[in-house]
Amino acid sequence: MCRTVDLHQAVLARNDENALALRGYLGDRGTVAVNLLSSPGSGKTALLEQLLARAVAAGVTAAAVTADLATENDATRLARSGAPVRQILTDGLCHLEAGMLRRRLEGWMPEGTRLLFVENVGNLVCPASYDLGETLRIALASVTEGEDKPVKYPTAFGLAQLVVITKTDLADAVGFDREAFLRGVEQVNPGVPVLETSARSGEGVDALLAHVLRAADGEEAHVPVLAREHERYLDSHDHGDGTGPHRHDGDGDHGDGRRPSSGGRRRHDDVPGAAPVPAEARGNTP
């Protein structure tokens, strides 16, 4: 008898298991990971540099890992903050995976690190499907990218626990329609908090750091509709290892006291008001 396994689903299932292990690794060290997703040119690196500098000034132990296909330019920029920074070069891969991140952290992450910022590859498609063991997932979009980013990339914004608007100092110059953007966010991720920031003026940077610190202190983060769908999916899924679909103990609990995260792979089913999601927006890698 032949058994067919969807290769993409098998890769995602393996990543989910690696993310669970990474979440435990970070938890044992008292470290909260923050996964930052955006398109290239959104101002993510400039904003992260400001966040790290303010964390360092406030005595918060923070570190960052930044991912790119090539060059260490972003790591060089972020290191100016005074925080420990490490670069991951993906050699053409359009996203980070939990196993890649874990290998880069081992033997490097300073003891006592409270906040670990992970600057994902600039891409709003592939990274959205991969759980990195994060506690908080943030999707960013700049005012220069247009108002329709959330509805064009519903998985990335639909799984975010926080949405951040960047480069607000340019909003008037580019004619940014703030209300249209917010309507799009609400369509794909009802109730998600939205912060407006500018790395140039400093607007919203302190509020963003405060939001991250509250998550580090255990404040419950927003749970997207897609995350709830994913938890139901995890209750009866096939690991692709021949064991077939099964349920985890504890209504989705993996049996080790850790719940599935609200980040990572999700099903984009039954989102109120959301348009059908094209295949390219479901995280399928090229």
Side-chain angles (χ1 to χ4, degrees):
M1 172 180 281
C2 294
R3 181 172 183 272
T4 301
V5 176
D6 185 296
L7 179 60
H8 183 61
Q9 293 302 318
V11 169
L12 290 173
R14 183 172 68 251
N15 184 80
D16 281 350
E17 296 300 322
N18 287 337
L20 182 65
L22 178 55
R23 188 167 287 108
Y25 171 83
L26 294 170
D28 290 343
R29 287 156 180 75
T31 302
V32 165
V34 181
N35 187 4
L36 303 172
L37 288 82
S38 78
S39 60
S42 68
K44 180 167 74 267
T45 304
L47 183 61
L48 180 53
E49 184 182 351
Q50 291 290 324
L51 277 174
L52 290 170
R54 296 191 188 205
V56 169
V60 177
T61 50
V65 172
T66 181
D68 275 305
L69 277 67
T71 82
E72 296 193 359
N73 293 350
D74 286 354
T76 300
R77 290 176 59 189
L78 293 176
R80 297 184 305 204
S81 67
V85 178
R86 181 161 246 196
Q87 181 82 48
I88 294 180
L89 297 180
T90 65
D91 294 324
L93 194 64
C94 63
H95 60 275
L96 276 179
E97 295 180 6
M100 298 166 58
L101 180 58
R102 172 72 179 267
R103 289 190 295 273
R104 203 62 172 152
L105 294 178
E106 289 180 336
W108 170 78
M109 191 173 69
E111 289 293 326
T113 299
R114 186 181 182 196
L115 301 179
L116 175 67
F117 291 96
V118 181
E119 184 182 20
N120 219 313
V121 179
N123 187 336
L124 284 173
V125 182
C126 305
S129 295
Y130 287 84
D131 184 353
L132 298 182
E134 69 263 24
T135 296
L136 187 64
R137 176 177 288 212
I138 302 177
L140 305 93
S142 72
V143 300
T144 59
E145 296 177 82
E147 302 81 18
D148 59 353
K149 271 292 187 290
V151 293
K152 289 178 71 173
Y153 298 94
T155 304
F157 287 92
L159 295 177
Q161 293 159 296
L162 175 67
V163 172
V164 172
I165 303 172
T166 63
K167 303 185 182 181
T168 54
D169 54 290
L170 299 176
D172 290 340
V174 298
F176 178 67
D177 189 335
R178 178 180 178 274
E179 294 307 315
F181 181 90
L182 294 177
R183 285 195 300 271
V185 170
E186 184 67 15
Q187 178 179 325
V188 301
N189 194 346
V192 66
V194 180
L195 287 178
E196 301 186 33
T197 66
S198 167
R200 177 174 293 178
S201 71
E203 177 192 359
V205 179
D206 287 332
L208 178 54
L209 180 58
H211 189 102
V212 171
L213 288 172
R214 287 195 298 272
D217 288 338
E219 180 178 292
E220 185 175 355
H222 168 75
V223 180
V225 171
L226 295 187
R228 293 194 291 268
E229 287 296 319
H230 182 57
E231 288 197 6
R232 288 195 287 272
Y233 165 75
L234 284 175
D235 283 347
S236 56
H237 74 282
D238 189 336
H239 279 291
D241 58 3
T243 59
H246 66 279
R247 290 184 62 87
H248 286 292
D249 294 333
D251 189 27
D253 197 314
H254 282 270
D256 58 2
R258 295 189 296 272
R259 295 284 300 171
S261 83
S262 53
R265 178 164 52 102
R266 305 291 184 262
R267 288 170 52 186
H268 195 279
D269 298 334
D270 304 324
V271 181
V277 185
E280 62 270 18
R282 296 178 190 144
N284 294 324
T285 55

